[in-house]
Amino acid sequence: MLPDRTLDGRVAIITGGGTGIGRAIALEYARLGARLVLASRSPEHLEPAAEELRATFGAEVLTAPTDVRVPEQVERLCEETVRRFGSIDILVNNAAGNFFCPAEKLSPNGWQAVVNIVLNGTFYCSRAAGLRMIAGGRGGNILNLVATYAWTGGPGTIHSACAKAGVVCMTRTLAVEWAHHKIRVNAIAPGPVETEGAGSKLWATPEVRSAMLKTVPRGRIGIPEEIAQASAYLVSDFADFITGEVLVMDGGQWLGKGMFGEGNR
Ligand code: HXC
């Protein structure tokens, strides 16, 4: 665990910050002394999370209903953040959209809905926050939440897999382009993580959950808090020499089970 004041006074925008992994990241950053801006398309998710941060850590929190697919709303989010807190030090691109659908049944609109949130939304937010980090001259950190099917391919989730692949590429591109502005850009690729949103969509029945668990060599589902702690490390000064990295946190899932039975315990 990082020391208490590791992110003292830093201003962090977290998209999708009201629920699941985003909420866990917000809680960890608040514990470490950050000031938080929670953005979500669903206003009803924002105030309860903000209240929890204030009550638990006395954190300063701004809530900003934002659809990351709409560049004007993203601009407003960043403008309000700077007006309220004076800077943007950290951006966590956590907002995502996903559903299972075989490629041949996926409508153009379904493709667009997910690609717009995951790929376009990540660019709009990175650009708007990055411009302000560059103007501020103090550097900053961008952290993207991706998935390992960005490089394995994702049967049943072609929209999300292709979009996450784009975000991995964006992570590495911006890491290099913005290094001289002291902006680091990294990503985390979580495997299955115990959140209401993912659980209800991705492993909705005990059978699916048990089949999914068999694909994780570590033999369990991840918890949001462990993703949050790693994310805090990556945006902290302790990780100052790390940029363009994608940290996989999936219990060995994407490495698979090996070719030979003896290895598959
Ligand atoms: C087929 C679907 C569908 C489904 C929506 N569509 N759900 N098609 N199967 N289950 C199609 C619709 O029919 C429509 O196309 C188009 O997608 C847009 O649908 P809307 O409902 O109007 O879109 P919208 O309200 O903008 O919702 C966006 C969404 C939704 C992505 C579709 O699921 C959403 O908001 N999700 C946010 C939360 C979420 O998904 N979180 C999970 C992230 S977990 P037509 O042609 O009919 O108009 C994650 C982790 C992955 O990403 C990694 C795991 C290891």
Side-chain angles (χ1 to χ4, degrees), residues 1 5 42 69 78 89 167 171 187 196 214 216:
M1 247 195 203
R5 309 311 300 177
S42 316
R69 294 174 286 195
C78 291
D89 302 305
V167 175
T171 303
E196 202 180 300
K214 290 201 177 92
V216 184

Side-chain angles (χ1 to χ4, degrees), residues 57-114:
F57 298 106
E60 288 182 68
V61 188
L62 175 69
T63 57
T66 309
D67 187 336
V68 296
R69 294 174 286 195
V70 184
E72 296 74 22
Q73 292 190 25
V74 170
E75 273 298 309
R76 198 171 61 221
L77 162 70
C78 291
E79 253 171 51
E80 276 177 22
T81 302
V82 173
R83 192 175 311 126
R84 167 80 182 268
F85 291 130
S87 66
I88 300 171
D89 302 305
I90 298 166
L91 166 69
V92 181
N93 285 306
N94 166 74
N98 206 356
F99 51 82
F100 279 118
C101 186
E104 72 277 13
K105 296 203 172 126
L106 182 65
S107 71
N109 205 23
W111 166 268
Q112 272 173 29
V114 171

Side-chain angles (χ1 to χ4, degrees), residues 206-224:
E207 294 73 29
V208 175
R209 184 187 168 95
S210 141
M212 188 272 296
L213 264 178
K214 290 201 177 92
T215 69
V216 184
R218 184 68 185 81
R220 68 172 176 87
I221 294 180
I223 55 168

Side-chain angles (χ1 to χ4, degrees), residues 77-263:
L77 162 70
C78 291
E79 253 171 51
E80 276 177 22
T81 302
V82 173
R83 192 175 311 126
R84 167 80 182 268
F85 291 130
S87 66
I88 300 171
D89 302 305
I90 298 166
L91 166 69
V92 181
N93 285 306
N94 166 74
N98 206 356
F99 51 82
F100 279 118
C101 186
E104 72 277 13
K105 296 203 172 126
L106 182 65
S107 71
N109 205 23
W111 166 268
Q112 272 173 29
V114 171
V115 172
N116 275 340
I117 295 170
V118 175
L119 181 59
N120 295 345
T122 298
F123 179 69
Y124 301 150
C125 291
S126 301
R127 181 182 178 278
L131 280 169
R132 287 159 176 91
M133 289 175 186
I134 291 168
R138 302 194 312 170
N141 271 278
I142 297 176
L143 184 75
N144 299 323
L145 274 290
V146 297
T148 59
Y149 53 42
W151 51 92
T152 62
T157 54
I158 190 169
H159 41 16
S160 174
C162 292
K164 296 285 191 188
V167 175
V168 169
C169 192
M170 201 184 310
T171 303
R172 293 175 175 149
T173 303
L174 291 180
V176 173
E177 280 200 21
W178 289 352
H180 70 287
H181 292 299
K182 293 180 286 184
I183 298 172
R184 295 189 296 109
V185 188
N186 289 295
I188 293 181
V193 171
E194 202 78 75
T195 65
E196 202 180 300
S200 61
K201 273 171 184 265
L202 304 176
W203 49 90
T205 66
E207 294 73 29
V208 175
R209 184 187 168 95
S210 141
M212 188 272 296
L213 264 178
K214 290 201 177 92
T215 69
V216 184
R218 184 68 185 81
R220 68 172 176 87
I221 294 180
I223 55 168
E225 289 71 22
E226 58 195 330
I227 309 298
Q229 287 181 14
S231 89
Y233 167 70
L234 284 174
V235 303
S236 78
D237 293 344
F238 293 109
D240 189 57
F241 208 43
I242 300 177
T243 196
E245 181 57 64
V246 182
L247 176 64
V248 177
M249 299 183 70
D250 73 342
Q253 187 188 38
W254 89 272
L255 297 171
K257 290 288 207 174
M259 294 172 78
F260 308 107
E262 275 302 290

